[in-house]
Amino acid sequence: MMKVLLTGGAGYIGSHVAVSLAAAGHDIVCFDNLSNSRAAVIEHVEAITGQPVPLVVGDIRDRDAVRGAITDHGANAVIHFAGLKAVGESVADPMKYYDNNVRGTLSLIEAMVDCDVRTLVFSSSATVYGEPQYLPLDEAHPTAVTNPYGRTKLMIEEMLSDIAAADPAWRIAVLRYFNPVGAHDSGLIGEDPNGVPNNLMPFISRVAAGRLPELAVFGDDYATPDGTGVRDYIHVDDLAEGHVAALDRIRAQDDALSVWNLGTGQGYSVLDMISAFERINNVRVPHRVGPRRPGDVASCYASPDRARDELGWEAKRDLDAMCASTWRFERTAAMRNA
Ligand code: NAD
Ligand code: WQD
């Protein structure tokens, strides 16, 4: 049993990982500055897990605050979700991203060393692979980034690699997420972005709910079976269980740093996602084909083999479960806000 500090624990992925860690018998404490989340999320995590979940409201760039949270709660591992993730915003305001993501992570690492905690799971992204040279993407695929957000993820990966090389007492898991979607079956926690969503699934859900008029499909002339972009969508609860497996694994092995893809290995197109959402939820998702979005690639999906072989973990939930749980969260949130 570990006592795990979750930076960004009130966020979309962090809240689901909190639930999975609690289910696996670990103790958790969330640390979040609530810049992209609300404290009420923690109450929902408490309702799901049936146990109190401490929330420390603070910023990872505040080394004293992180140190205080680790010592006050006796944390002996950190899962680090805290960060900014909007690609377009990172192009417009790169300093904000280098400050929050890179400086923030360095400050977090310093606080961990101060407290003699060297077990860390880091939220990286398939964005570090850039334009795929081959598919599926395995962990040996070369890295290349195309925007400041992606560059912060790659810079942090490289920083962690240097730190692990210098001090073999570190136990670090770098997890490269593909496209996390869906929500916990309770409908109590899920993805609820501020403003107009950047990502496909929350956009589809808001169109289905009538909160947005229609979805723009970003291009239908890609070299894919139906011409629309293909991605590896993974249910957030599968992703969450991958974190529990990675934490178990790094505690049991001697490697100071390991990298694992968390994906399903299965690609779906934009039109696949729309029709699955409509069919499983019996709703309409009005959409229209528009121009490509700059920076998008045609296809991106994982080889999940290393995670399967080394973590004993595989994604189990299918596209129907991803779409049904997204819609359940949308409806539950609507009832709550009514
Ligand atoms: P999210 O915005 O829902 O969660 C991030 C949380 O971190 C938020 O609660 C926010 O308030 C908090 N936070 C941000 N900056 C902070 C700071 N300086 N100090 C303390 N707290 C801070 O995002 P998410 O989708 O849950 O993403 C979690 C992590 O996973 C991020 O690092 C993101 O880059 C990474 N990731 C996400 C995706 C995705 O598609 N959602 C894909 C790949 C990687
Ligand atoms: C998926 C597909 C779009 C919106 C992004 C980040 C990546 C990672 C995950 C954090 C693409 C199409 C989308 C819309 C559309 N995040 N689309 N209309 O671009 O694969 O990855 O989120 O690390 O770094 O870049 O995800 O959900 O934005 O797009 O047609 O309104 O849906 O073109 O084919 P993406 P997405």
Side-chain angles (χ1 to χ4, degrees), residues 125 127 149 179 198-200 215-218 231 233 293 296:
S125 168
T127 193
Y149 165 72
N179 290 60
N198 297 308
N199 296 114
L200 179 64
L215 171 76
V217 176
F218 296 149
R231 296 292 183 273
Y233 298 95
R293 181 171 64 180
D296 276 357

Side-chain angles (χ1 to χ4, degrees), residues 226-288:
D226 66 20
T228 66
V230 167
R231 296 292 183 273
D232 186 336
Y233 298 95
I234 175 169
H235 195 299
V236 66
D237 282 333
D238 280 324
L239 190 83
E241 289 164 8
H243 289 68
V244 178
L247 184 63
D248 287 347
R249 170 77 190 200
I250 58 175
R251 287 166 56 216
Q253 71 180 17
D254 291 331
D255 300 335
L257 183 138
S258 305
V259 179
W260 289 291
N261 283 341
L262 294 183
T264 68
Q266 169 78 52
Y268 289 105
S269 74
V270 177
L271 296 181
D272 289 337
M273 298 303 285
I274 296 170
S275 52
F277 198 95
E278 291 186 325
R279 175 180 46 75
I280 194 81
N281 296 319
N282 198 22
V283 293
R284 300 286 309 141
V285 181
H287 55 278
R288 185 196 310 254

